Amino acid sequence: MNDLEMEDLLSKSLDEPLSADESARLDAAMAQSAELREMARDLMAIKAVAAAGRPQAPPLSEQLLERVAATAPIKPGLRRYWAPMALAAAAALIFFLMPPQTPQDEDTLLQDQLYQAQAHAGQFRMDYHNRITAMEGLAVKHLSQLPAKQAISYSERLGFINRMIGNCEDAVDSAILRPETHAGLAEVYDAKVTLLDLILEA
Amino acid sequence: MVIEEELIWIKKIKNGHSQSFGQLYSRYADKLFGLCFRYTGNKSDAEDQLQEVFLKILQKIDSFRAQSSFSTWAYRLATNHLINFSTRRKDTRESDLAEVLEPAGDGRDVPLALALEAAVRQLPEGYRRVFILHDQEGFKHEEIAEILEINAGTSRSQLTRARLALREILKPVLEQETEVAR
């Protein structure tokens, strides 16, 4: 066996168990060569410190989220239709499950939310998530208080509401990631009215 | 299970769902940061490069076809990015490794670790990338083969050559350590 093969074997022995034959050959070579023993000691020392010093990654930063927003791969078709409709669902749910407000109040509220979304993306997402969770709780409570014969239609409503809740979360992400969806605000209001009719007729 | 979960996240990311990007970040940030730190040598640069790597993942996610695991695909992308980065940046900034090692206080050989970090930078790129992935980041040869698109035998032989080259570079430090031990 030449030196090159012995070096390979020595290096391999640092990472995995050798076969009985390989082990016997390496032992025999090391017994005869002080240089090989020294090499084994040095390579072990190098391997022992190689993995030292592994710092922890920073948490996901606002700066990265902003850069993500500029490069997020949202598909053109979805960008056009999906985000405004999902935002409409979010607004409809707020209207349906929260105390009544005047249209002017609603306009201000929605615009303020979108502004807040841009300004405080991370915090806003968390607040919105909590509100959506609270809405879901209200919807379930509402359903449980209904007479049994109305339960089926209200189950369907709950299913619909749950789908809308999913869309709400996507809408929030989309609004944060894609400020240009704000331009579709008028469409959002139109869609919201249609959606409210559907919910109230159910 | 992990792979299925990741495929769902990736599908959502392709549809612009930022929450799934956050989940992917949480799973891979520490691992990829380790790699960034090996190539940059300091935390500040590593943080910058981690951002670049994640943005690159996002930009190229449409080209991920699940023919390999996401982990392999992401490491391949990160390794190529970091090799380009270190080729472009020739200046060697001060290393933060000492700062990272000191608080560990676990009896590691700090002078040898610092000398090793400098020595790794002197290796030819082929040896360096295999040494980093195997001895510093803990990948198996089969995984390295997939990441670097080489065969496992090449990975093994490059690791041996890398270790021997490092031994030559580190000889003065290793001899000094032997003297102290006696």
Side-chain angles (χ1 to χ4, degrees), chain A residues 4 7-8 11-12 14-16 35 38-39 41-43 45-47 49-61 63-64 67-68 71-75 78 82 125 169-170 173 177, chain B residues 13-19 21-22 25 29-31 33 37-38 43 47 50-52 55 58-59 97 100-101 108-109 112 116 131 134-137 156 159-161 163-164 167 170 174 178:
Chain A
L4 209 61
E7 287 167 358
D8 284 339
S11 179
K12 186 181 172 187
L14 299 177
D15 307 320
E16 54 195 281
E35 196 193 327
E38 198 181 321
M39 185 187 288
R41 194 191 55 227
D42 289 349
L43 295 189
I46 290 170
K47 179 153 185 185
V49 297
R54 209 170 189 288
Q56 273 199 321
L60 184 55
S61 64
Q63 190 198 1
L64 180 54
R67 295 183 69 192
V68 165
T71 51
I74 294 180
K75 293 182 175 164
L78 290 173
W82 166 85
R125 184 182 290 113
E169 301 220 6
D170 287 344
D173 286 331
L177 286 176
Chain B
I13 291 170
K14 285 180 181 181
N15 287 326
H17 197 278
S18 70
Q19 205 174 8
F21 178 79
Y25 183 92
D30 270 344
K31 294 173 186 169
F33 190 62
F37 187 71
R38 300 298 175 199
K43 283 206 276 188
E47 283 177 13
L50 183 69
Q51 279 206 9
E52 297 304 323
L55 286 172
L58 193 66
Q59 284 161 1
L97 185 62
V100 174
L101 287 171
R108 282 183 196 132
D109 188 338
L112 181 59
L116 176 65
F131 182 81
H134 189 279
D135 278 8
Q136 300 195 294
E137 295 303 307
R156 278 195 183 84
L159 179 65
T160 304
R161 304 279 81 79
R163 285 169 170 170
L164 293 172
R167 181 181 178 236
L170 293 170
L174 290 164
T178 311

Side-chain angles (χ1 to χ4, degrees), chain A residues 82-168:
Chain A
W82 166 85
M85 283 305 292
L87 264 175
L93 266 176
I94 292 166
F95 188 83
F96 184 53
L97 294 168
M98 294 291 171
Q101 294 177 353
T102 66
Q104 287 80 9
D105 286 343
E106 268 190 85
D107 280 6
T108 311
L109 179 70
L110 194 53
Q111 281 175 4
D112 186 48
Q113 283 175 348
L114 292 172
Y115 173 76
Q116 292 284 335
Q118 277 185 299
H120 307 287
Q123 183 57 41
F124 181 77
R125 184 182 290 113
M126 185 54 72
D127 290 348
Y128 215 103
H129 177 78
N130 292 340
R131 291 178 66 181
I132 288 166
T133 307
M135 282 183 217
E136 191 174 21
L138 275 174
V140 172
K141 190 178 166 193
H142 188 52
L143 180 71
S144 69
Q145 288 169 349
L146 292 171
K149 60 181 173 182
Q150 288 183 43
I152 292 173
S153 66
Y154 274 87
S155 292
E156 286 167 356
R157 281 178 68 179
L158 184 63
F160 179 74
I161 287 167
N162 279 333
R163 285 198 299 280
M164 290 303 106
I165 285 167
N167 285 345
C168 278

Side-chain angles (χ1 to χ4, degrees), chain B residues 56-124:
Chain B
K56 206 149 242 181
I57 286 172
L58 193 66
Q59 284 161 1
K60 301 208 172 219
I61 199 115
D62 272 333
S63 68
F64 175 68
R65 297 275 178 263
Q67 285 159 343
S68 60
S69 71
F70 175 76
S71 160
T72 302
W73 182 82
Y75 265 97
R76 186 184 305 147
L77 207 138
T79 305
N80 288 337
H81 170 79
L82 290 164
I83 289 170
N84 285 339
F85 167 79
S86 57
T87 310
R88 279 197 315 271
R89 202 195 71 177
K90 289 290 176 197
D91 62 313
T92 46
R93 298 188 193 177
E94 201 170 322
S95 167
D96 280 349
L97 185 62
E99 196 185 303
V100 174
L101 287 171
E102 294 297 348
D106 56 3
R108 282 183 196 132
D109 188 338
V110 174
L112 181 59
L114 292 173
L116 176 65
E117 193 210 2
V120 170
R121 289 183 189 191
Q122 295 175 44
L123 290 176

